Structures are given as structure tokens and as C-alpha cells.
Amino acid sequence: MATVSVRKHCGGTPQSRPAAGRRSHSSVFQQAVRCFLLAALLLPATSHAFQSLESAYRRTGPAVTSVFDAQRQILQQSSAVMLSGRKEIAYGVVISPDGYILTKASEIAGTANLSVRVDAQSYPNAKVVTVDDAWDVALVKVDASGLTPVDYAPSGDIPQGSWVIANGATSLKARRALVGIVSAKIRPIPAGGGNLGVAFKEDADEVLEIADLAEDGAAAKAGIKKGDIIVAINGKAVVKFDEVSEALKDHKPGTVVQVTYQRKEVDETVDVTLDPGPVTRNDMMSGAYSDRRSGFPRVMQHDIIGDKSIVGGPLLGLDGKCVGMNIARANRAESFAIPVEDLKALAARLMKK
């Protein structure tokens, strides 16, 4: 409608249009300017129309996700929902008919009553068989038979822009598919060192006195307070900030380190679980991203929208084959998956332990 209106007003009626031979360059220019200004005035209304797309037709809407129902059925049978009590904490990849399942280790760590649901069947008393720290993957076993393992794709090196499908929200009986595209080349993600969540006095000379600390940071959770002096990490004496950085650089978020601090001339040692570091503005916009989102040997990056609960489950291609396993929701635009070649090798290695 907007385009029709522009033509009507800019072109004029046949009666008002001058003869072609008498039309000056200046009048043509003035008319072009009027057309541009009119188009600019109409642009907001046009953009608004695009933004008012009904929710059913957006990327996560039912009209779109229903197109991927065949892949959703595969997720229903070959992926697992990991539960702590009745709370869903992650997804998993079914890799054998007799109940072996891969999932993200750090998302289920410390869960006392881990259970699993595959399709609509629940399996209580799930056991963690072993864990691979490098990939942050746990092998879990449930008492089951006749499960349908994922069908591995021959390669995870698929072109950027290719459609991929993963688990979305789930109910007791039905999964919901989330769709996106492969958005970057397969690459390693270097480890980021863990963080204590403290700030030291700048004018202190070879004394690591804590000037401030994050209220919900790693040190505060362990009972360390403002004014305490950190004297050692994992038993090694530290007196400079650089020595603290060196002591923590190879420890991933979620790792436990022993911190010795001095308070009123008395030394005390506590276990501190390192956190990912200061929360950035991008993090705040990202929603519930994964606590561990770095330090992976290789990842496939995609843009499926979801929070950290999407991790652990399979990533499917349009043919329903497993091209990877979701391992981290990195931020509001990036999710990481273990490429299928690495996933197959990892599953074989863990099954032999």
C-alpha cells in the first residue's frame, strides 16, 4: 500500500504532468526530493508492519516449528530430560538401547536425586558412570532397555546457514523443537580462568588485602570478607596480584581451589568454587547462559535461541541425524555444540572406562 501511495503523489495525474520536452531538470530534482521525503515519512509505518508479525509465525512460533515435526519426533525418542526431583536441569543424548546417556556434567553436578525421562518414560536413580572434564560431559546410566539411540551424521562440518534443530521446552509427553542455523565455522574455545570475585587495595605493598568483593562472588560465598588478606592459593604463597592471576589462570569456572586468608593475624583455609567472572552488560542481556562456556577443544556454533537448559541434548540436521551435542549457551546470540566426530569418539572412550 505504501508503494502505491508514493507513486500516486509523486508522479502526478496525467492532466497535471508537463509535456516531456518542457520538463526542466530543476523540476525533476524537486519532484525527486518530494518523493524521498514522502517515502521517509511512510517508512516508520512500513517498519512497524514488519515488526507486528504474529507470534505464531516467528522463528519459535508453532506455525514455524510444526514444519520440523519429523525432527521433533526424533528428539522425543532419542534425547533425554535430566531432572533433579521434578525440576528439569539439562537434556541428554541417548547413545545405547540399554540406557547409556551423555549430558553436560556441570549442569548435573551435585544432584542427589538425579532421574531421567526418555519420551514419556521416567527412569529414577540415574547413576553418573564417569565424567570427562575437558568436554564437560558426563556418562549417565539408567535401568532401561529398547531405547532408540541417536543416528550420528557422517560429519559435523556442515555449511554455515544450514538449519539445525534442538530440544526446546518440554512437557511430560511432548517435546518442542527449537530451530536455528549454523552460524560460524568449527573452532576451539580457549579456557577462561576462574574468578574469586574480589578487588585488592591498590596502595598495598606486597599485601593482598581485600578492598571489596562481589556480594554473590566466589570468595563471599566461601566466607571471605572485606579486610581479609589472601596469603596462599592451593598451598602456594601469594603476595602480588600477578601471582593470584597466575595461580588461577588454568582453573576453569566451577573448579574448587583452596584459599588461605589472614583475619586478625589468624590464618584460615577455605574451599572456593571459582565463578565465571564479572557479569557484563552483554551477559545481563543474554538471560540464563551456561556457567561453563569456554575451554572446549572444538565447537560448532549455532544461533538457536534458548537458555542454558537446552544444553546436553542432541543437535539435529534436517535429515534427523545427530550433528552434535549442545554443550553451552554462551550468550544471547551464540550456542556451542560438540561436533559429531568428537562426540562419537568421546562416547566410545567413556563407554570403555
Side-chain angles (χ1 to χ4, degrees):
M1 293 298 291
T3 302
V4 172
S5 298
V6 170
R7 285 179 176 171
K8 180 178 179 181
H9 288 82
C10 294
T13 63
Q15 291 78 9
S16 64
R17 185 178 302 157
R22 291 186 286 109
R23 200 174 187 185
S24 69
H25 290 296
S26 61
S27 65
V28 171
F29 175 77
Q30 290 171 358
Q31 188 156 315
V33 171
R34 286 197 296 273
C35 290
F36 174 80
L37 293 175
L38 184 55
L41 290 172
L42 290 169
L43 183 58
T46 307
S47 299
H48 178 74
F50 283 123
Q51 293 172 1
S52 63
L53 182 66
E54 292 181 32
S55 59
Y57 298 100
R58 296 175 186 174
R59 187 164 67 168
T60 57
V64 175
T65 55
S66 64
V67 175
F68 302 93
D69 194 61
Q71 295 83 358
R72 188 194 67 78
Q73 294 287 349
I74 295 172
L75 292 172
Q76 185 80 26
Q77 294 184 336
S78 301
S79 69
V81 182
M82 316 302 292
L83 301 111
S84 175
R86 299 179 64 179
K87 181 182 178 183
E88 296 179 8
I89 53 177
Y91 291 113
V93 181
V94 177
I95 61 170
S96 77
D98 57 345
Y100 283 98
I101 293 165
L102 298 178
T103 188
K104 180 162 184 175
S106 58
E107 294 296 334
I108 64 168
T111 303
N113 52 349
L114 182 66
S115 63
V116 171
R117 188 168 68 239
V118 178
D119 201 348
Q121 181 66 44
S122 295
Y123 300 94
N125 304 317
K127 304 295 183 186
V128 177
V129 178
T130 187
V131 170
D132 185 283
D133 290 327
W135 288 101
D136 194 17
V137 168
L139 177 65
V140 173
K141 177 71 171 67
V142 297
D143 186 13
S145 61
L147 300 184
T148 305
V150 291
D151 186 7
Y152 293 119
S155 172
D157 190 13
I158 55 180
Q160 295 178 53
S162 299
W163 285 97
V164 285
I165 304 99
N167 276 308
T170 182
S171 66
L172 181 62
K173 295 183 178 179
R175 306 291 171 78
R176 180 183 176 190
L178 289 177
V179 298
I181 60 168
V182 175
S183 52
K185 293 181 178 179
I186 290 175
R187 67 190 190 284
I189 301 295
N195 192 280
L196 287 176
V198 301
F200 297 109
K201 276 191 174 180
E202 295 183 0
D203 56 351
D205 184 17
E206 297 189 350
V207 175
L208 293 169
E209 181 177 346
I210 296 175
D212 199 3
L213 71 174
E215 183 177 351
D216 295 323
K221 290 178 180 177
I224 297 175
K225 298 180 179 180
K226 180 180 177 181
D228 290 344
I229 298 172
I230 293 183
V231 296
I233 294 178
N234 283 338
K236 184 176 181 179
V238 291
V239 292
K240 297 180 180 178
F241 175 77
D242 290 346
E243 293 172 342
V244 175
S245 298
E246 180 67 22
L248 299 179
K249 70 175 186 179
D250 294 327
H251 294 285
K252 299 181 179 68
T255 302
V256 177
V257 296
Q258 287 189 323
V259 176
T260 303
Y261 63 92
Q262 190 176 87
R263 182 185 299 168
K264 296 181 180 178
E265 299 183 352
V266 176
D267 287 357
E268 186 77 27
T269 299
V270 293
D271 288 340
V272 177
T273 302
L274 301 176
D275 63 34
V279 177
T280 65
R281 184 171 182 272
N282 192 46
D283 291 336
M284 296 173 67
M285 297 170 64
S286 300
Y289 51 82
S290 299
D291 291 337
R292 180 176 166 185
R293 46 185 168 159
S294 64
F296 302 110
R298 293 198 329 145
V299 300
M300 173 195 296
Q301 181 178 319
H302 60 83
D303 70 346
I304 288 180
I305 298 171
D307 60 24
K308 67 177 186 177
S309 66
I310 73 168
V311 301
L315 187 69
L316 305 182
L318 282 182
D319 59 1
K321 295 185 181 299
C322 177
V323 296
M325 169 183 162
N326 289 307
I327 197 62
R329 177 64 176 161
N331 55 50
R332 62 193 173 94
E334 299 173 346
S335 294
F336 298 149
I338 301 173
V340 66
E341 301 92 336
D342 304 277
L343 182 63
K344 289 169 63 177
L346 174 63
R349 188 168 68 249
L350 293 179
M351 290 285 282
K352 289 181 179 177
K353 288 186 177 180

